[in-house]
Amino acid sequence: MDLHFSLSGSGDLSAQIYAQVRAAVLDGRLAGGDRVPASRDLAASLGVSRGTVTAAYDRLLAEELLESRRGAGTFVASGCVPPTPAARRARPGAVTPTALWANPVAPPPGPSGVAFDFSVGVPDASLFPLATWRRLVSATLRRGRLSAGTYDAPGPGAAGSRLEAEIARYAGRSRSVVASGGDVVATAGAQQALDLVARVLVEPGDVVAVEDPGYTAVARLFATHRAVVRGVPVDGEGIVVDALPDTARLVYVTPSHQHPTGVAMSLARRIALLEWAVRHGAVIVEDDYDSEFRFADRPLEPLQSLDRDGRVVYVGSFSKSLLPALRVGYAIAPTTLTAALREAKRVTVWDGDAVTQGALAAFLAEGHHAAHVKRATRVYRARREALLDGLTAPDGLADWLEVVPSAAGLHLCTLFRDPALDDVTIAVAALTAGVHVEPLSVRHLEQPPRHGLAFGVGGIPRDGVGPALTALRGVFSSSRPGRPAAG
Amino acid sequence: MDLHFSLSGSGDLSAQIYAQVRAAVLDGRLAGGDRVPASRDLAASLGVSRGTVTAAYDRLLAEELLESRRGAGTFVASGCVPPTPAARRARPGAVTPTALWANPVAPPPGPSGVAFDFSVGVPDASLFPLATWRRLVSATLRRGRLSAGTYDAPGPGAAGSRLEAEIARYAGRSRSVVASGGDVVATAGAQQALDLVARVLVEPGDVVAVEDPGYTAVARLFATHRAVVRGVPVDGEGIVVDALPDTARLVYVTPSHQHPTGVAMSLARRIALLEWAVRHGAVIVEDDYDSEFRFADRPLEPLQSLDRDGRVVYVGSFSKSLLPALRVGYAIAPTTLTAALREAKRVTVWDGDAVTQGALAAFLAEGHHAAHVKRATRVYRARREALLDGLTAPDGLADWLEVVPSAAGLHLCTLFRDPALDDVTIAVAALTAGVHVEPLSVRHLEQPPRHGLAFGVGGIPRDGVGPALTALRGVFSSSRPGRPAAG
């Protein structure tokens, strides 16, 4: 047997021998029928007592990984098929997921390594106030705080409760959301908030209306709760309320900065949507994912603060205003739902990360978040203006692209002027030219797809915008052979 | 109008006035019909330009929170009902959760403030190697790591992948689990792992078998996935395989240290369970929640490593071996399930906390976890032995309690010798005597409840065990009036 043993002086030597023989069988270094050394020989070569080896062998024999053949010695069991992942994969009748999960949707490849990255929904991590955050994390990593983080109180721990109170104050101040800490359920990102909402509101077969084009990941989320997801068109005022299916139990919208088109829902449309929800007994889920970054003076009120009937669940996130990696979001719900949302959270994850929650509560309370948003807005505004200039300049991309007006958020959306162009083709060609932009058509669900490109400003420095658009102009020019490429 | 304004020099003064009037209306300080000051007067009293005030009023008028009455001035809109949570709560026809969530189960009150805390499932936070952890968190909180944490790669970020590889190594070394990083799905605690498993495996109406007595929170979790949850009796060898319902699609077990009785599933029973699963096309979910802490030499192999047919999902957690507040757990699944589990995670939470994941990966890789478990095992062993001594001593609690043998984990379970005693009554009486113990009967689902008490060793110092048991003996003595209380 050509098997290397490495025994460490401390610890149970017999257990080490056992584990190493076992591992060798399982990973195929020893095959069924291989003879293992006599216990006396192995003991001598390893410098351990014979009993140490026989104890290990006995255990392997009991587990039928080894077998003893009278007079011949000890062997790896001949019927022993190593239960490696590979072997398990090949088994007929293996465990499979339910139909809903049988064909996992592969996520789109990331844009890593491109020269110009217009990824949508990603903030600039270099703006994150890391020194402040480290200080607050360090302050939170104290014994009392950690032990109080969870399990010692019914429901979310102390860090979670503190954070929820701070989120209520923050959403009230910055977005006029009407809430106290008890109305807030802190979550691991907006996606988890939406998941909890779907869990407590959606019965299998319920109709859920989403914006079309819209967040396809959210549509998928509702579908995994066995909802019937219906895509409702979006025009210049937001979701078309008249097109909502009468049977919708839940309507998911992004009114501040529609994802991905960027339009803000008009006040008239907001009121119409709220009235529609009351009339139809539906719930509105308002995802306010990136409207902290405002580029016009007067933001419209969130649906939540216009809601007089407790029909709106407001969902927010710190993934855009701070960092996705922190995984903190929240739902602010009517009081008729908060107990259910809290139970859903308790049953499925108990609570969030105590350290991050504690640090974020302090970050909000000490005003760092407001200061960061202000600073970051300045940076994004400059990038956005450079982008708008390039998109609308006559010698820029104005021939090909029409900018969808928007007043907030981390990306701009454009529509193709030429109905013959395909946005996926353009995006693929752009990528080979070093520019990552996101095609609009793939964000459609059932409406006839419009073609266009979305440009995020979180991943590209201001001075990258010009060269990127020049490269993109080249892509458009060469996409239309009848027209000379721009210089 | 008796309204206090506090304007800060920086920022949009008009927006501040707007927000403060609005807040006053919403929280009831201003009522419908109240007159607000003329813009000229308010401007004078605040020392701002009149235009600043009229801009604020215009916005409030546009939102119909104020109304202008010709010749009379400006008033809070008479029909204005503040959409406060209280008002929303009172509305008839408000949004309500689905039937599953209509009656949220209130969590049991925590044992905070008791003199002697035998809480089950809670490690001793004071043992947590905080200095090391702070160092690793600090090292993880670097720019490159954070931006790479998520969103830039399909699926879990770099921190998550590193952690999954380390978990595979750890589970392989410490528990003989057969896995590579690709088989591991890191989650926010074992509960989230179980939630993802239920999501991808359970169709509404599927039968899920759980141990009875068992983890009632897990039973509830499966029920919220619309499973029909069936409780299967547990004897001295673990779950009674012969009593499993033939239709069970999923069997949830805690074989290393059955929760709450503490028995270890025998090897014969393990093999029988695996064979049963193959025969019935069922999945076994093995929750190995606290068997890092071993008090006997030879732990039995996990079901996962005995499994040759890819029928076992192994679920683990760092909540017991480190801290619940960290919220890190994992599922190690057959390769036929990992893609679905990853998609379920991506759809619902995207990824875990990048900082905690990065720190934990380093903590495992540098051997701190193994060292911590070794150190903590020594501490828990001393407490456990003191507990066993007290429970089995003739002048201790041996008259009332029979200890269920177990070889691992953070708690011991006992059964009442006197069938007339009620464990909830005893636990309540114990609490008034300053001792928190957990009654066994409430952990039952449908089997006839056995009565007993579980004693966790994570929350009580060694020298607290003796006084606690003396106090508990007093409780038992006075519970049986016919018998003199022990001195």
Side-chain angles (χ1 to χ4, degrees):
Chain A
M1 182 179 71
D2 180 27
L3 184 61
H4 173 75
F5 285 89
S6 84
L7 301 189
S8 90
S10 66
D12 180 342
L13 295 174
S14 179
Q16 292 179 41
I17 294 168
Y18 160 79
Q20 290 176 38
V21 174
R22 186 170 195 290
V25 173
L26 294 181
D27 64 19
R29 282 175 288 151
L30 288 178
D34 280 359
R35 189 171 184 281
V36 299
S39 55
R40 186 189 314 264
D41 298 346
L42 185 57
S45 77
L46 295 174
V48 300
S49 78
R50 189 177 170 193
T52 300
V53 176
T54 53
Y57 279 12
D58 284 350
R59 194 160 155 211
L60 293 160
L61 287 164
E63 287 178 10
E64 296 175 5
L65 288 171
L66 296 185
E67 57 189 23
S68 185
R69 297 184 200 155
R70 185 174 298 272
T74 307
F75 296 81
V76 176
S78 48
C80 181
V81 176
T84 60
R88 281 187 274 161
R89 182 191 296 121
R91 292 271 156 170
V95 173
T96 50
T98 61
L100 257 179
W101 302 95
N103 298 299
V105 180
S112 65
V114 294
F116 305 110
D117 183 2
F118 286 112
S119 283
V120 169
V122 187
D124 187 338
S126 75
L127 302 177
F128 181 65
L130 196 55
T132 304
W133 186 259
R134 286 172 79 134
R135 182 173 60 73
L136 296 175
V137 164
S138 193
T140 307
L141 272 173
R142 297 192 193 289
R143 244 171 242 294
R145 301 251 188 139
L146 276 187
S147 55
T150 186
Y151 274 15
D152 67 343
S161 305
R162 270 200 310 277
L163 177 59
E164 286 166 354
E166 288 302 332
I167 288 173
R169 272 192 280 276
Y170 160 71
R173 273 195 308 259
S174 88
R175 297 293 290 129
S176 312
V177 167
V178 184
S180 66
D183 304 316
V184 178
V185 181
T187 58
Q191 266 174 297
Q192 186 174 67
L194 294 170
D195 185 55
L196 297 179
V197 166
R199 224 179 255 261
V200 306
L201 283 173
V202 174
E203 300 270 11
D206 275 356
V207 174
V208 168
V210 299
E211 296 163 331
D212 190 357
Y215 258 122
T216 44
V218 172
R220 170 74 179 144
L221 171 58
F222 285 117
T224 67
H225 286 279
R226 300 169 197 276
V228 175
V229 178
R230 297 282 308 279
V232 177
V234 174
D235 65 17
E237 292 190 73
I239 197 167
V240 178
V241 172
D242 291 343
L244 284 168
D246 280 343
T247 51
R249 156 117 177 120
L250 191 153
V251 183
Y252 170 83
V253 287
T254 51
S256 302
H257 185 230
Q258 201 269 329
H259 185 93
T261 67
V263 301
M265 194 183 292
S266 69
L267 185 59
R269 199 59 72 76
R270 285 171 199 243
I271 289 167
L273 180 58
L274 287 165
E275 285 172 353
W276 187 94
V278 170
R279 222 160 45 238
H280 291 79
V283 185
I284 300 168
V285 177
E286 172 176 35
D287 187 348
D288 203 7
Y289 64 102
D290 72 352
S291 73
E292 295 88 353
F293 304 109
R294 282 174 216 145
F295 308 105
D297 265 354
R298 300 190 181 173
L300 286 162
E301 293 306 294
L303 290 162
Q304 197 269 358
S305 66
L306 298 170
D307 171 29
R308 302 180 179 192
D309 300 276
R311 299 239 140 240
V312 174
V313 181
Y314 178 92
V315 169
S317 166
F318 294 94
S319 295
K320 310 296 184 287
S321 70
L322 285 172
L323 277 184
L326 297 182
R327 310 308 304 133
V328 185
Y330 50 94
I332 296 179
T335 48
T336 48
L337 292 181
T338 43
L341 289 171
R342 279 186 206 291
E343 198 208 356
K345 177 178 163 187
R346 203 164 48 230
V347 164
T348 56
V349 294
W350 192 270
D351 200 355
D353 187 287
V355 177
T356 297
Q357 289 191 0
L360 183 53
F363 191 81
L364 289 165
E366 296 176 12
H368 303 298
H369 189 268
H372 167 69
V373 166
K374 206 166 160 188
R375 216 165 33 231
T377 299
R378 263 200 307 274
V379 174
Y380 294 139
R381 183 192 296 274
R383 296 181 188 177
R384 192 172 182 273
E385 283 172 2
L387 178 60
L388 271 171
D389 286 351
L391 292 173
T392 54
D395 60 341
L397 283 150
D399 287 349
W400 289 280
L401 296 175
E402 179 194 345
V403 177
V404 179
S406 73
L410 285 181
H411 74 271
L412 282 171
C413 191
T414 61
L415 298 173
F416 284 178
R417 294 190 191 277
D418 182 345
L421 280 183
D422 176 76
D423 55 6
V424 173
T425 307
I426 295 285
V428 168
L431 203 57
T432 64
V435 182
H436 175 74
V437 283
E438 304 201 359
L440 175 61
S441 63
V442 300
R443 301 289 171 187
H444 287 74
L445 209 64
E446 54 184 298
Q447 299 299 322
R450 282 175 289 176
H451 288 254
L453 298 174
F455 298 81
V457 297
I460 191 160
R462 187 185 182 290
D463 59 11
V465 172
L469 294 189
T470 301
L472 193 59
R473 189 173 157 86
V475 170
F476 274 101
S477 302
S478 55
S479 74
R480 309 213 306 195
R483 218 170 146 150
Chain B
M1 182 178 72
D2 180 28
L3 185 62
H4 173 77
F5 285 90
S6 82
L7 302 188
S8 91
S10 66
D12 179 342
L13 295 175
S14 179
Q16 293 179 39
I17 294 168
Y18 160 79
Q20 291 176 37
V21 173
R22 186 171 196 290
V25 173
L26 294 180
D27 65 18
R29 281 175 288 150
L30 289 178
D34 279 0
R35 189 174 184 281
V36 299
S39 56
R40 186 189 315 265
D41 298 345
L42 186 57
S45 77
L46 295 174
V48 301
S49 77
R50 188 175 170 196
T52 300
V53 175
T54 53
Y57 280 12
D58 284 352
R59 195 162 154 207
L60 293 160
L61 287 163
E63 287 178 8
E64 297 176 3
L65 287 171
L66 296 185
E67 59 190 21
S68 185
R69 297 184 200 155
R70 186 174 298 271
T74 307
F75 296 82
V76 177
S78 49
C80 182
V81 176
T84 59
R88 281 188 273 163
R89 183 191 297 121
R91 294 267 158 172
V95 173
T96 50
T98 61
L100 257 179
W101 301 95
N103 298 299
V105 180
S112 64
V114 296
F116 306 110
D117 183 1
F118 286 112
S119 283
V120 168
V122 187
D124 187 338
S126 75
L127 302 176
F128 181 65
L130 195 55
T132 303
W133 187 258
R134 288 172 77 134
R135 181 173 61 73
L136 296 174
V137 164
S138 192
T140 307
L141 271 173
R142 296 191 194 289
R143 245 172 240 295
R145 300 251 188 138
L146 276 187
S147 56
T150 185
Y151 274 15
D152 69 343
S161 304
R162 270 199 311 276
L163 176 60
E164 286 166 355
E166 288 301 332
I167 288 173
R169 273 191 280 276
Y170 160 71
R173 274 194 308 259
S174 87
R175 297 292 291 130
S176 313
V177 167
V178 183
S180 66
D183 304 316
V184 178
V185 180
T187 58
Q191 267 174 296
Q192 185 173 68
L194 295 171
D195 186 54
L196 296 179
V197 166
R199 224 179 256 260
V200 306
L201 284 173
V202 174
E203 299 270 11
D206 276 356
V207 174
V208 168
V210 299
E211 296 163 332
D212 190 356
Y215 257 122
T216 43
V218 172
R220 169 75 180 144
L221 171 58
F222 285 117
T224 67
H225 286 279
R226 301 167 197 278
V228 175
V229 178
R230 297 281 309 277
V232 178
V234 174
D235 65 17
E237 293 190 70
I239 198 168
V240 178
V241 172
D242 291 342
L244 283 169
D246 279 344
T247 52
R249 156 117 178 119
L250 192 154
V251 183
Y252 170 83
V253 287
T254 51
S256 302
H257 185 230
Q258 201 269 330
H259 184 92
T261 67
V263 301
M265 194 183 293
S266 69
L267 184 59
R269 197 61 70 79
R270 285 170 199 244
I271 289 167
L273 179 58
L274 286 165
E275 285 172 353
W276 187 94
V278 171
R279 222 159 47 237
H280 291 79
V283 184
I284 300 168
V285 178
E286 172 176 35
D287 187 349
D288 203 8
Y289 62 103
D290 72 353
S291 73
E292 296 87 353
F293 304 108
R294 282 174 216 145
F295 308 103
D297 265 352
R298 300 190 182 176
L300 285 162
E301 292 307 293
L303 290 162
Q304 197 270 358
S305 67
L306 298 170
D307 171 29
R308 302 179 179 194
D309 299 277
R311 300 241 139 238
V312 174
V313 180
Y314 178 91
V315 170
S317 166
F318 294 95
S319 295
K320 310 296 185 287
S321 70
L322 285 171
L323 276 184
L326 298 181
R327 311 307 305 135
V328 185
Y330 50 93
I332 297 179
T335 48
T336 48
L337 292 181
T338 44
L341 289 171
R342 279 186 206 292
E343 198 209 357
K345 177 178 163 187
R346 202 163 50 230
V347 164
T348 55
V349 294
W350 192 270
D351 200 355
D353 187 286
V355 177
T356 297
Q357 288 191 0
L360 183 53
F363 191 82
L364 288 165
E366 296 176 11
H368 303 297
H369 189 269
H372 166 69
V373 166
K374 207 167 159 188
R375 216 166 33 234
T377 300
R378 263 200 308 273
V379 174
Y380 294 138
R381 183 192 295 274
R383 296 180 188 177
R384 192 172 182 273
E385 283 171 1
L387 178 61
L388 271 171
D389 286 351
L391 291 173
T392 53
D395 60 342
L397 283 150
D399 288 347
W400 289 279
L401 297 174
E402 179 194 345
V403 177
V404 179
S406 74
L410 285 182
H411 75 270
L412 283 171
C413 192
T414 61
L415 299 173
F416 284 177
R417 295 189 191 277
D418 181 345
L421 280 183
D422 176 77
D423 55 6
V424 174
T425 307
I426 295 287
V428 168
L431 202 59
T432 64
V435 182
H436 175 75
V437 283
E438 304 202 358
L440 175 61
S441 63
V442 300
R443 301 288 171 189
H444 287 73
L445 210 63
E446 53 184 299
Q447 300 299 321
R450 283 174 288 175
H451 288 254
L453 298 175
F455 297 80
V457 296
I460 191 161
R462 188 186 181 291
D463 58 11
V465 172
L469 294 188
T470 302
L472 193 59
R473 190 174 157 87
V475 170
F476 274 101
S477 302
S478 55
S479 74
R480 307 214 306 196
R483 218 169 146 149

